[in-house]
Amino acid sequence: VIAAQHALQSHATSNVSSVTQRAAIEALRGPQTAVREMLDEYRRRRDRLHGWLSADPRIRCARPAGAFYLFPDVSEVVAEAGLPDTAAFAEALLDEARVAVTPGEAFDAPGFIRLSYATSMDTLREGSARLLEFVARRTGRAPSGVAR
């Protein structure tokens, strides 16, 4: 009985169900207008967030070709702020500025943080402003060209 239940359960939960497979086929064959619109929106969010964060030259950020997040190098900021790693940076940023990021150590990438841009432009604007203000406070200096 246990073996039969295991066989039933494994086929029902360890693979993509046939209903989901059919839905995926229809989604790929159907109109792609909504997909293009969302890709354009994500591109706008990526570009704006990249521009806002690049205002501080200590935050070095490559513009990704895909995905829904940026992965900037903040190692200079972390060192200047006297923090041991990006985990401490992320915790302080959350506590002091109410901005959530994922530390690079979670991806075996010390010195980097991951920021999602899968949210509204207003939220991204506010979050990036808070992040830059946090960096300015923690390092004792605002980057040139960016108001404190």
Side-chain angles (χ1 to χ4, degrees):
V1 171
I2 291 173
Q5 288 176 337
H6 176 69
L8 179 63
Q9 178 273 332
S10 69
H11 290 291
T13 61
S14 65
N15 299 300
V16 179
S17 70
S18 59
V19 172
T20 302
Q21 292 176 33
R22 297 263 186 204
I25 290 169
E26 290 306 311
L28 292 171
R29 289 183 179 160
Q32 299 299 301
T33 305
V35 174
R36 281 190 295 280
E37 289 172 359
M38 198 65 232
L39 285 173
D40 290 343
E41 179 60 26
Y42 272 96
R43 196 171 294 113
R44 280 189 292 277
R45 293 174 190 181
R46 177 203 63 196
D47 292 346
R48 295 296 296 273
L49 183 59
H50 182 271
W52 292 323
L53 295 177
S54 296
D56 189 324
R58 299 169 295 179
I59 301 173
R60 293 178 302 284
C61 188
R63 185 173 297 154
F68 56 89
Y69 57 86
L70 295 180
F71 207 59
D73 178 350
V74 294
S75 56
E76 187 177 336
V77 171
V78 169
E80 204 174 309
L83 296 166
D85 53 25
T86 58
F89 177 90
E91 186 174 346
L93 181 62
L94 182 60
D95 289 344
E96 297 173 26
R98 297 305 201 221
V99 174
V101 299
T102 306
E105 285 82 7
F107 303 98
D108 199 26
F112 289 79
I113 57 172
R114 180 176 163 167
L115 297 112
S116 171
Y117 48 87
T119 188
S120 73
M121 195 70 80
D122 289 339
T123 300
L124 294 173
R125 182 181 301 110
E126 178 69 22
S128 61
R130 288 181 186 191
L131 190 149
L132 292 171
E133 290 166 5
F134 168 82
V135 167
R137 270 193 321 274
R138 278 300 190 116
T139 62
R141 66 182 176 102
S144 44
V146 176
R148 270 194 155 191

